[in-house]
Tab-separated table of all heavy atoms in Angstrom:
chain	number	residue	atom	x	y	z
A	1307	PHE	N	0.829	-1.214	0.000
A	1307	PHE	CA	0.000	0.000	0.000
A	1307	PHE	C	0.860	1.259	0.000
A	1307	PHE	O	0.443	2.292	-0.540
A	1307	PHE	CB	-0.973	-0.025	1.180
A	1307	PHE	CG	-2.142	-0.916	0.943
A	1307	PHE	CD1	-2.136	-2.229	1.391
A	1307	PHE	CD2	-3.242	-0.478	0.235
A	1307	PHE	CE1	-3.204	-3.071	1.153
A	1307	PHE	CE2	-4.311	-1.308	-0.014
A	1307	PHE	CZ	-4.293	-2.619	0.452
A	1308	ASP	N	2.073	1.185	0.578
A	1308	ASP	CA	3.002	2.312	0.489
A	1308	ASP	C	3.321	2.614	-0.963
A	1308	ASP	O	3.343	3.773	-1.397
A	1308	ASP	CB	4.294	2.014	1.247
A	1308	ASP	CG	4.134	2.084	2.759
A	1308	ASP	OD1	3.119	2.657	3.212
A	1308	ASP	OD2	5.011	1.578	3.467
A	1309	ASP	N	3.581	1.559	-1.751
A	1309	ASP	CA	3.910	1.752	-3.170
A	1309	ASP	C	2.727	2.303	-3.957
A	1309	ASP	O	2.876	3.174	-4.823
A	1309	ASP	CB	4.370	0.433	-3.793
A	1309	ASP	CG	5.766	0.023	-3.352
A	1309	ASP	OD1	6.498	0.886	-2.830
A	1309	ASP	OD2	6.122	-1.161	-3.527
A	1310	ILE	N	1.531	1.786	-3.673
A	1310	ILE	CA	0.345	2.267	-4.378
A	1310	ILE	C	0.052	3.714	-4.007
A	1310	ILE	O	-0.251	4.547	-4.872
A	1310	ILE	CB	-0.870	1.367	-4.071
A	1310	ILE	CG1	-0.629	-0.052	-4.598
A	1310	ILE	CG2	-2.134	1.936	-4.709
A	1310	ILE	CD1	-1.671	-1.059	-4.124
A	1311	GLU	N	0.140	4.035	-2.722
A	1311	GLU	CA	-0.081	5.412	-2.283
A	1311	GLU	C	0.984	6.350	-2.840
A	1311	GLU	O	0.694	7.510	-3.156
A	1311	GLU	CB	-0.103	5.484	-0.754
A	1311	GLU	CG	-1.374	4.947	-0.124
A	1311	GLU	CD	-2.548	5.909	-0.283
A	1311	GLU	OE1	-2.441	6.884	-1.051
A	1311	GLU	OE2	-3.577	5.669	0.353
A	1312	ALA	N	2.215	5.851	-2.971
A	1312	ALA	CA	3.274	6.676	-3.550
A	1312	ALA	C	2.964	7.000	-5.012
A	1312	ALA	O	3.232	8.111	-5.482
A	1312	ALA	CB	4.623	5.971	-3.429
A	1313	ALA	N	2.381	6.035	-5.727
A	1313	ALA	CA	1.990	6.288	-7.114
A	1313	ALA	C	0.883	7.335	-7.181
A	1313	ALA	O	0.899	8.233	-8.036
A	1313	ALA	CB	1.534	4.986	-7.775
A	1314	ARG	N	-0.092	7.237	-6.261
A	1314	ARG	CA	-1.159	8.239	-6.237
A	1314	ARG	C	-0.598	9.616	-5.882
A	1314	ARG	O	-0.971	10.624	-6.493
A	1314	ARG	CB	-2.251	7.847	-5.238
A	1314	ARG	CG	-3.484	8.746	-5.315
A	1314	ARG	CD	-4.519	8.373	-4.275
A	1314	ARG	NE	-4.108	8.713	-2.937
A	1314	ARG	CZ	-4.215	9.936	-2.401
A	1314	ARG	NH1	-4.714	10.938	-3.107
A	1314	ARG	NH2	-3.821	10.155	-1.170
A	1315	SER	N	0.298	9.661	-4.909
A	1315	SER	CA	0.905	10.935	-4.517
A	1315	SER	C	1.712	11.529	-5.657
A	1315	SER	O	1.714	12.751	-5.860
A	1315	SER	CB	1.794	10.740	-3.287
A	1315	SER	OG	1.030	10.344	-2.173
A	1316	TRP	N	2.390	10.652	-6.403
A	1316	TRP	CA	3.165	11.137	-7.554
A	1316	TRP	C	2.227	11.799	-8.567
A	1316	TRP	O	2.535	12.878	-9.096
A	1316	TRP	CB	3.925	9.986	-8.204
A	1316	TRP	CG	4.869	10.448	-9.273
A	1316	TRP	CD1	6.199	10.729	-9.150
A	1316	TRP	CD2	4.525	10.723	-10.647
A	1316	TRP	NE1	6.711	11.167	-10.348
A	1316	TRP	CE2	5.705	11.169	-11.284
A	1316	TRP	CE3	3.355	10.643	-11.393
A	1316	TRP	CZ2	5.742	11.524	-12.643
A	1316	TRP	CZ3	3.374	11.001	-12.736
A	1316	TRP	CH2	4.559	11.428	-13.347
A	1317	LEU	N	1.099	11.157	-8.821
A	1317	LEU	CA	0.139	11.723	-9.765
A	1317	LEU	C	-0.344	13.086	-9.297
A	1317	LEU	O	-0.360	14.054	-10.069
A	1317	LEU	CB	-1.057	10.779	-9.928
A	1317	LEU	CG	-0.863	9.561	-10.821
A	1317	LEU	CD1	-2.019	8.577	-10.647
A	1317	LEU	CD2	-0.723	9.965	-12.279
A	1318	ILE	N	-0.740	13.177	-8.033
A	1318	ILE	CA	-1.282	14.433	-7.510
A	1318	ILE	C	-0.246	15.547	-7.593
A	1318	ILE	O	-0.573	16.712	-7.845
A	1318	ILE	CB	-1.767	14.238	-6.065
A	1318	ILE	CG1	-3.008	13.347	-6.059
A	1318	ILE	CG2	-2.084	15.580	-5.402
A	1318	ILE	CD1	-3.482	12.964	-4.689
A	1319	GLY	N	1.021	15.195	-7.418
A	1319	GLY	CA	2.069	16.197	-7.454
A	1319	GLY	C	2.540	16.583	-8.839
A	1319	GLY	O	3.306	17.542	-8.990
A	1320	ASP	N	2.090	15.854	-9.860
A	1320	ASP	CA	2.524	16.155	-11.221
A	1320	ASP	C	1.609	17.222	-11.826
A	1320	ASP	O	0.385	17.102	-11.750
A	1320	ASP	CB	2.489	14.884	-12.081
A	1320	ASP	CG	3.163	15.083	-13.420
A	1320	ASP	OD1	2.521	15.638	-14.341
A	1320	ASP	OD2	4.333	14.695	-13.563
A	1321	PRO	N	2.165	18.262	-12.437
A	1321	PRO	CA	1.322	19.341	-12.984
A	1321	PRO	C	0.405	18.893	-14.114
A	1321	PRO	O	-0.556	19.599	-14.437
A	1321	PRO	CB	2.345	20.370	-13.463
A	1321	PRO	CG	3.621	19.621	-13.630
A	1321	PRO	CD	3.606	18.548	-12.599
A	1322	ARG	N	0.682	17.728	-14.693
A	1322	ARG	CA	-0.191	17.227	-15.763
A	1322	ARG	C	-1.455	16.581	-15.219
A	1322	ARG	O	-2.357	16.236	-15.988
A	1322	ARG	CB	0.578	16.218	-16.625
A	1322	ARG	CG	1.699	16.830	-17.440
A	1322	ARG	CD	2.616	15.788	-18.032
A	1322	ARG	NE	3.381	15.092	-16.990
A	1322	ARG	CZ	4.388	14.252	-17.224
A	1322	ARG	NH1	4.746	14.006	-18.483
A	1322	ARG	NH2	5.037	13.680	-16.225
A	1323	CYS	N	-1.527	16.409	-13.891
A	1323	CYS	CA	-2.689	15.780	-13.259
A	1323	CYS	C	-3.618	16.840	-12.688
A	1323	CYS	O	-3.168	17.816	-12.080
A	1323	CYS	CB	-2.232	14.825	-12.160
A	1323	CYS	SG	-3.575	13.947	-11.333
A	1324	SER	N	-4.902	16.618	-12.840
A	1324	SER	CA	-5.914	17.554	-12.335
A	1324	SER	C	-6.039	17.513	-10.823
A	1324	SER	O	-6.662	18.391	-10.223
A	1324	SER	CB	-7.273	17.232	-12.960
A	1324	SER	OG	-7.735	15.957	-12.509
A	1325	GLY	N	-5.490	16.485	-10.192
A	1325	GLY	CA	-5.623	16.310	-8.753
A	1325	GLY	C	-6.672	15.291	-8.366
A	1325	GLY	O	-6.763	14.895	-7.210
A	1326	THR	N	-7.471	14.859	-9.333
A	1326	THR	CA	-8.466	13.813	-9.104
A	1326	THR	C	-7.883	12.480	-9.558
A	1326	THR	O	-7.428	12.361	-10.700
A	1326	THR	CB	-9.755	14.099	-9.881
A	1326	THR	OG1	-10.264	15.368	-9.485
A	1326	THR	CG2	-10.794	13.027	-9.607
A	1327	VAL	N	-7.895	11.482	-8.672
A	1327	VAL	CA	-7.235	10.208	-8.968
A	1327	VAL	C	-8.150	9.041	-8.621
A	1327	VAL	O	-8.770	9.007	-7.557
A	1327	VAL	CB	-5.907	10.081	-8.191
A	1327	VAL	CG1	-5.264	8.711	-8.444
A	1327	VAL	CG2	-4.942	11.191	-8.586
A	1328	GLY	N	-8.206	8.076	-9.534
A	1328	GLY	CA	-8.891	6.816	-9.303
A	1328	GLY	C	-7.903	5.672	-9.379
A	1328	GLY	O	-6.713	5.867	-9.601
A	1329	VAL	N	-8.419	4.460	-9.204
A	1329	VAL	CA	-7.557	3.280	-9.236
A	1329	VAL	C	-8.283	2.167	-9.970
A	1329	VAL	O	-9.508	2.058	-9.923
A	1329	VAL	CB	-7.168	2.849	-7.803
A	1329	VAL	CG1	-8.402	2.445	-6.998
A	1329	VAL	CG2	-6.142	1.721	-7.809
A	1330	ILE	N	-7.501	1.338	-10.669
A	1330	ILE	CA	-8.033	0.161	-11.343
A	1330	ILE	C	-7.055	-0.974	-11.130
A	1330	ILE	O	-5.834	-0.761	-11.092
A	1330	ILE	CB	-8.245	0.434	-12.857
A	1330	ILE	CG1	-8.890	-0.765	-13.552
A	1330	ILE	CG2	-6.930	0.790	-13.551
A	1330	ILE	CD1	-9.283	-0.485	-14.997
A	1331	GLY	N	-7.583	-2.186	-10.922
A	1331	GLY	CA	-6.703	-3.325	-10.710
A	1331	GLY	C	-7.307	-4.588	-11.283
A	1331	GLY	O	-8.529	-4.691	-11.478
A	1332	PHE	N	-6.429	-5.574	-11.515
A	1332	PHE	CA	-6.817	-6.819	-12.173
A	1332	PHE	C	-6.408	-8.012	-11.314
A	1332	PHE	O	-5.250	-8.119	-10.898
A	1332	PHE	CB	-6.160	-6.908	-13.550
A	1332	PHE	CG	-6.483	-5.727	-14.420
A	1332	PHE	CD1	-5.708	-4.564	-14.355
A	1332	PHE	CD2	-7.581	-5.744	-15.260
A	1332	PHE	CE1	-6.013	-3.460	-15.136
A	1332	PHE	CE2	-7.901	-4.640	-16.041
A	1332	PHE	CZ	-7.113	-3.500	-15.973
A	1333	CYS	N	-7.369	-8.909	-11.040
A	1333	CYS	CA	-7.131	-10.096	-10.228
A	1333	CYS	C	-6.599	-9.662	-8.863
A	1333	CYS	O	-7.290	-8.963	-8.128
A	1333	CYS	CB	-6.189	-11.048	-10.960
A	1333	CYS	SG	-5.993	-12.654	-10.167
A	1334	MET	N	-5.385	-10.047	-8.494
A	1334	MET	CA	-4.798	-9.572	-7.241
A	1334	MET	C	-4.890	-8.057	-7.144
A	1334	MET	O	-5.240	-7.497	-6.094
A	1334	MET	CB	-3.340	-10.008	-7.160
A	1334	MET	CG	-2.588	-9.486	-5.958
A	1334	MET	SD	-0.801	-9.716	-6.134
A	1334	MET	CE	-0.408	-8.323	-7.233
A	1335	GLY	N	-4.603	-7.383	-8.240
A	1335	GLY	CA	-4.663	-5.925	-8.266
A	1335	GLY	C	-6.071	-5.385	-8.118
A	1335	GLY	O	-6.271	-4.289	-7.592
A	1336	GLY	N	-7.053	-6.150	-8.573
A	1336	GLY	CA	-8.442	-5.731	-8.391
A	1336	GLY	C	-8.821	-5.725	-6.923
A	1336	GLY	O	-9.483	-4.798	-6.434
A	1337	GLY	N	-8.388	-6.775	-6.194
A	1337	GLY	CA	-8.628	-6.809	-4.765
A	1337	GLY	C	-7.923	-5.679	-4.043
A	1337	GLY	O	-8.474	-5.075	-3.115
A	1338	LEU	N	-6.698	-5.371	-4.487
A	1338	LEU	CA	-5.962	-4.264	-3.880
A	1338	LEU	C	-6.633	-2.926	-4.166
A	1338	LEU	O	-6.664	-2.036	-3.308
A	1338	LEU	CB	-4.517	-4.256	-4.390
A	1338	LEU	CG	-3.629	-5.385	-3.874
A	1338	LEU	CD1	-2.316	-5.413	-4.645
A	1338	LEU	CD2	-3.365	-5.236	-2.384
A	1339	ALA	N	-7.170	-2.777	-5.380
A	1339	ALA	CA	-7.872	-1.529	-5.723
A	1339	ALA	C	-9.074	-1.321	-4.818
A	1339	ALA	O	-9.307	-0.226	-4.294
A	1339	ALA	CB	-8.299	-1.555	-7.194
A	1340	ALA	N	-9.862	-2.385	-4.623
A	1340	ALA	CA	-11.028	-2.280	-3.744
A	1340	ALA	C	-10.597	-2.047	-2.302
A	1340	ALA	O	-11.224	-1.271	-1.569
A	1340	ALA	CB	-11.876	-3.544	-3.853
A	1341	SER	N	-9.524	-2.694	-1.885
A	1341	SER	CA	-9.021	-2.506	-0.523
A	1341	SER	C	-8.495	-1.096	-0.310
A	1341	SER	O	-8.641	-0.528	0.778
A	1341	SER	CB	-7.917	-3.527	-0.220
A	1341	SER	OG	-8.436	-4.831	-0.130
A	1342	LEU	N	-7.870	-0.537	-1.350
A	1342	LEU	CA	-7.355	0.820	-1.229
A	1342	LEU	C	-8.483	1.796	-0.921
A	1342	LEU	O	-8.297	2.761	-0.170
A	1342	LEU	CB	-6.634	1.230	-2.517
A	1342	LEU	CG	-5.920	2.583	-2.469
A	1342	LEU	CD1	-4.748	2.548	-1.495
A	1342	LEU	CD2	-5.428	2.982	-3.864
A	1343	ALA	N	-9.656	1.531	-1.479
A	1343	ALA	CA	-10.800	2.412	-1.231
A	1343	ALA	C	-11.218	2.414	0.236
A	1343	ALA	O	-11.870	3.351	0.689
A	1343	ALA	CB	-11.972	1.992	-2.107
A	1344	THR	N	-10.819	1.389	0.998
A	1344	THR	CA	-11.178	1.337	2.414
A	1344	THR	C	-10.207	2.125	3.285
A	1344	THR	O	-10.499	2.340	4.475
A	1344	THR	CB	-11.237	-0.118	2.935
A	1344	THR	OG1	-9.907	-0.654	3.003
A	1344	THR	CG2	-12.102	-0.988	2.039
A	1345	VAL	N	-9.062	2.512	2.738
A	1345	VAL	CA	-8.057	3.212	3.556
A	1345	VAL	C	-7.672	4.577	3.000
A	1345	VAL	O	-6.994	5.347	3.680
A	1345	VAL	CB	-6.781	2.347	3.719
A	1345	VAL	CG1	-7.096	1.070	4.469
A	1345	VAL	CG2	-6.135	2.027	2.378
A	1346	ASP	N	-8.088	4.889	1.783
A	1346	ASP	CA	-7.700	6.155	1.150
A	1346	ASP	C	-8.948	6.984	0.873
A	1346	ASP	O	-9.675	6.745	-0.087
A	1346	ASP	CB	-6.940	5.882	-0.144
A	1346	ASP	CG	-6.345	7.140	-0.768
A	1346	ASP	OD1	-6.813	8.247	-0.438
A	1346	ASP	OD2	-5.416	7.020	-1.583
A	1347	ALA	N	-9.184	7.975	1.712
A	1347	ALA	CA	-10.392	8.797	1.593
A	1347	ALA	C	-10.331	9.757	0.418
A	1347	ALA	O	-11.343	10.384	0.082
A	1347	ALA	CB	-10.617	9.579	2.884
A	1348	GLU	N	-9.166	9.876	-0.230
A	1348	GLU	CA	-9.020	10.832	-1.325
A	1348	GLU	C	-9.298	10.225	-2.697
A	1348	GLU	O	-9.347	10.949	-3.687
A	1348	GLU	CB	-7.604	11.426	-1.311
A	1348	GLU	CG	-7.234	12.131	-0.016
A	1348	GLU	CD	-8.191	13.263	0.310
A	1348	GLU	OE1	-8.547	14.019	-0.602
A	1348	GLU	OE2	-8.597	13.375	1.477
A	1349	LEU	N	-9.467	8.926	-2.769
A	1349	LEU	CA	-9.753	8.292	-4.054
A	1349	LEU	C	-11.096	8.751	-4.598
A	1349	LEU	O	-12.064	8.885	-3.852
A	1349	LEU	CB	-9.781	6.777	-3.918
A	1349	LEU	CG	-8.468	5.994	-3.982
A	1349	LEU	CD1	-8.774	4.517	-3.858
A	1349	LEU	CD2	-7.697	6.277	-5.261
A	1350	ALA	N	-11.157	8.944	-5.924
A	1350	ALA	CA	-12.414	9.356	-6.550
A	1350	ALA	C	-13.219	8.181	-7.079
A	1350	ALA	O	-14.421	8.307	-7.332
A	1350	ALA	CB	-12.126	10.335	-7.691
A	1351	GLY	N	-12.589	7.028	-7.251
A	1351	GLY	CA	-13.293	5.858	-7.761
A	1351	GLY	C	-12.341	4.684	-7.866
A	1351	GLY	O	-11.143	4.870	-8.091
């Protein structure tokens, strides 16, 4: 989750990003995406 949150933080800090961030995952990553929504209040979807 540190690595995933670091990726989200990188996006938010990049001027090419609007500041709104979602997540998508596949299989293991799909479970992690859904789990991230339980700990990250800033996710948009």
Side-chain angles (χ1 to χ4, degrees):
F1307 282 95
D1308 286 344
D1309 287 343
I1310 296 170
E1311 285 285 11
R1314 188 183 71 82
S1315 296
W1316 187 94
L1317 282 168
I1318 291 174
D1320 190 279
R1322 292 167 292 189
C1323 182
S1324 66
T1326 302
V1327 177
V1329 63
I1330 184 173
F1332 304 87
C1333 188
M1334 175 193 79
L1338 289 170
S1341 291
L1342 186 67
T1344 71
V1345 297
D1346 187 340
E1348 302 302 317
L1349 276 182

